[in-house]
């Protein structure tokens, strides 16, 4: 967390640097900040305005508060959720999702096919069925789709004919196959049959397609993955109460305070101070959907002898403070004011392929400070 705070401070307007030096420092700081977020380069903003899938927006709001801070670290399976829209734009019951943006080190935990069930069309005569069987197949060979080896059954269940809404099918193993061998991804086939497997023509149940229906109803593949990135061993939890954090100061002001003020800070007791990160200010608002920024906070102040309980000292810090105060050993400094609780944040953003990703990052907010 300390390294992250230093990077954020480096993004502020530097003092006494030439324009070239300031630009170089800022570029290096942004590069290091991208590394904190697991990226080499910032994704390009979508060429045209694009509405993120409502499912991903709702998931973000369930997992995080308005500032992106995790409400409960146990809600999300893994630390990454990726959404992909269908690329066929043609055949209504055939779907293809391009997974090239999934990193090789990501472990596929769960994969779901989301299809929006449309209201049934009005038909003449009595209704013979109240349910139909929906089957999802992995396409193995395009040329032999109707043959015994042309497709593999992934999921099947009875779906009611009345009403509309999202139907979700687990297809985890197929997606794992695709990520291991990209050439094996020949897409998915969905069939609709009667309860006993009989053919229904025309099928009484239809799903929204990517070409003919609103963006919010397009077929979507959702992956829950884990990229193996983990934070420090400090306690990590959701921000208490899931409420908005106070928003004070700005990134650019972080290093521009008078020297006398910064000197006086050393005389203040160890405590938490605001450190705002504004994504628009650093040029990332084009690809980050939520949040607009967050308060990282930082720890500042002295840890004077004797250390009180309000300074949340460890036993080691207490002993170190005593040794330092009594000069019992040379070269022993007083304890440092550092974060003793860290929270994770979540970003909802567009990747390079304009897919929407929800990613959780550990140890990004100082929850409290103590003398250690």
């Amino acid at each position: 967390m300390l390294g992250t705070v230093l990077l954020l401070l480096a993004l502020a307007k530097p003092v006494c640097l030439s324009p070239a030096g300031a630009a170089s420092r800022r570029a290096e700081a942004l590069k290091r900040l991208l590394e904190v977020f697991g990226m080499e380069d910032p994704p390009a903003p979508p060429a045209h305005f694009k509405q993120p899938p409502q499912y991903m927006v709702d998931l973000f709001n369930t997992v995080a508060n308005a500032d992106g801070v995790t409400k409960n670290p146990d809600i999300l399976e893994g630390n990454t959720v990726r959404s992909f829209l269908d690329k066929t734009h043609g055949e209504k019951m055939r779907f293809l999702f391009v997974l090239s943006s999934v990193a090789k080190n990501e472990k596929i935990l769960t994969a779901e096919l989301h299809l929006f069930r449309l209201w049934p069309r009005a038909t003449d005569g009595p209704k013979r069925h109240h349910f139909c069987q929906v089957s999802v197949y992995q396409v193995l060979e395009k040329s032999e789709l109707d043959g015994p080896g042309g497709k593999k059954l992934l999921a099947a269940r009875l779906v009611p004919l009345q009403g509309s809404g999202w139907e979700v099918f687990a297809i985890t193993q197929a997606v794992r196959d695709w990520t291991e061998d990209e050439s094996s991804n020949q897409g998915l086939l969905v069939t609709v049959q009667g309860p006993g497997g009989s053919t229904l023509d025309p099928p009484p149940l239809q799903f929204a397609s990517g070409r003919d229906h609103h963006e919010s109803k397009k077929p979507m593949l959702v992956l829950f993955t884990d990229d193996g990135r983990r934070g420090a061993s400090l306690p990590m939890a959701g921000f208490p109460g899931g409420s908005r954090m106070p928003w004070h100061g700005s990134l650019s002001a972080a290093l521009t305070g008078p020297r006398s003020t910064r000197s006086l800070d050393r005389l203040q007791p160890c405590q938490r101070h605001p450190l705002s990160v504004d994504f628009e200010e650093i040029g990332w608002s084009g690809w980050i959907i939520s949040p607009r920024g967050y308060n990282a906070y930082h720890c500042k102040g002295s840890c004077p002898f004797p250390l009180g309980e309000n300074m949340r000292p460890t036993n080691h810090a207490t002993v170190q403070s005593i040794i330092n105060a009594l000069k019992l050993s040379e070269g022993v400094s007083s304890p440092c004011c550092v974060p003793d609780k860290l929270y994770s944040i979540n970003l909802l953003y567009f990747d390079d392929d304009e897919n929407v990703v929800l990613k959780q990052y550990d140890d990004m907010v100082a929850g409290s400070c103590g003398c250690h």
Side-chain angles (χ1 to χ4, degrees), residues 86-98:
D86 173 45
K87 296 298 185 181
T88 59
H89 305 303
E91 301 174 66
K92 292 185 178 181
M93 304 300 275
R94 287 284 302 276
F95 307 102
L96 180 66
F97 302 95
V98 178

Side-chain angles (χ1 to χ4, degrees), residues 201-212:
D201 190 22
L205 177 65
Q206 291 189 338
F207 295 103
S209 65
R211 181 183 62 180
D212 301 328

Side-chain angles (χ1 to χ4, degrees), residues 17 40 42 61 67 73 101 104 109 155 164 180 194 199 201 218 238 260 262 310 316-317 331:
L17 282 179
E40 293 184 3
N61 292 331
D67 293 319
S101 59
K104 294 297 183 183
L109 303 176
S164 66
E180 291 176 5
T199 302
D201 190 22
K218 288 185 175 182
S260 58
R262 295 201 295 275
N310 63 315
H316 180 274

Side-chain angles (χ1 to χ4, degrees), residues 13-290:
K13 296 176 181 177
V15 181
C16 300
L17 282 179
S18 66
S24 175
R25 174 174 170 170
R26 182 179 178 86
E28 178 63 21
L30 286 172
K31 179 181 178 181
R32 296 289 301 278
L33 188 58
L34 276 171
E35 292 174 0
V36 172
F37 288 102
M39 303 176 186
E40 293 184 3
D41 298 297
H48 306 285
F49 174 77
K50 191 172 183 181
Q51 191 74 29
Q54 189 61 42
Y55 174 83
M56 298 296 288
V57 175
D58 292 343
L59 185 60
F60 175 87
N61 292 331
T62 300
V63 169
N65 67 17
D67 293 319
V69 180
T70 305
K71 295 179 183 178
N72 185 331
D74 298 324
I75 293 178
L76 199 62
E77 183 182 11
N79 61 9
T80 307
V81 185
R82 296 182 179 275
S83 63
F84 303 85
L85 297 181
D86 173 45
K87 296 298 185 181
T88 59
H89 305 303
E91 301 174 66
K92 292 185 178 181
M93 304 300 275
R94 287 284 302 276
F95 307 102
L96 180 66
F97 302 95
V98 178
L99 309 181
S100 56
S101 59
V102 179
K104 294 297 183 183
N105 64 326
E106 283 188 56
K107 181 180 179 181
I108 307 296
L109 303 176
T110 302
E112 299 174 341
L113 174 64
H114 292 222
L115 300 177
F116 189 83
R117 176 164 48 93
L118 301 172
W119 281 95
R121 294 178 179 177
T123 56
D124 298 330
K127 292 183 173 59
R128 297 181 179 180
H129 306 289
H130 297 285
F131 294 87
C132 62
Q133 178 172 300
V134 177
S135 302
V136 180
Y137 294 90
Q138 177 182 358
V139 177
L140 303 177
E141 296 290 342
K142 285 185 178 181
S143 59
E144 299 179 9
L145 192 56
D146 296 327
K151 58 183 184 292
K152 175 184 177 182
L153 181 64
L154 301 176
R157 70 164 177 269
L158 293 178
V159 175
L161 292 179
Q162 296 301 311
S164 66
W166 287 99
E167 297 290 339
V168 179
F169 301 88
I171 58 169
T172 306
Q173 190 53 54
V175 172
R176 287 174 178 167
D177 293 344
W178 296 342
T179 54
E180 291 176 5
D181 179 9
E182 188 175 344
S183 65
S184 69
N185 183 4
Q186 303 295 325
L188 300 169
L189 172 70
V190 176
T191 64
V192 177
Q193 297 174 304
S198 58
T199 302
L200 302 176
D201 190 22
L205 177 65
Q206 291 189 338
F207 295 103
S209 65
R211 181 183 62 180
D212 301 328
H213 298 92
H214 190 268
E215 186 93 12
S216 62
K217 296 181 174 61
K218 288 185 175 182
M220 182 171 62
L221 176 66
V222 178
L223 305 188
F224 294 84
T225 72
D226 196 300
D227 63 8
R229 291 167 59 91
R230 284 292 176 262
S233 57
L234 292 180
M236 189 192 80
F239 198 77
S243 58
R244 285 185 62 88
M245 295 183 293
W247 196 268
H248 304 292
S250 71
L251 193 62
S252 291
L255 286 181
T256 57
R259 291 182 182 272
S260 58
T261 301
R262 295 201 295 275
S263 299
L264 289 174
D265 287 339
R266 300 191 188 97
L267 303 179
Q268 300 298 318
C270 175
Q271 57 188 306
R272 192 175 70 153
H273 296 267
L275 177 57
S276 300
V277 182
D278 188 325
F279 292 132
E280 182 174 1
E281 179 184 29
I282 60 179
W284 289 5
S285 60
W287 56 274
I288 293 180
I289 302 167
S290 290

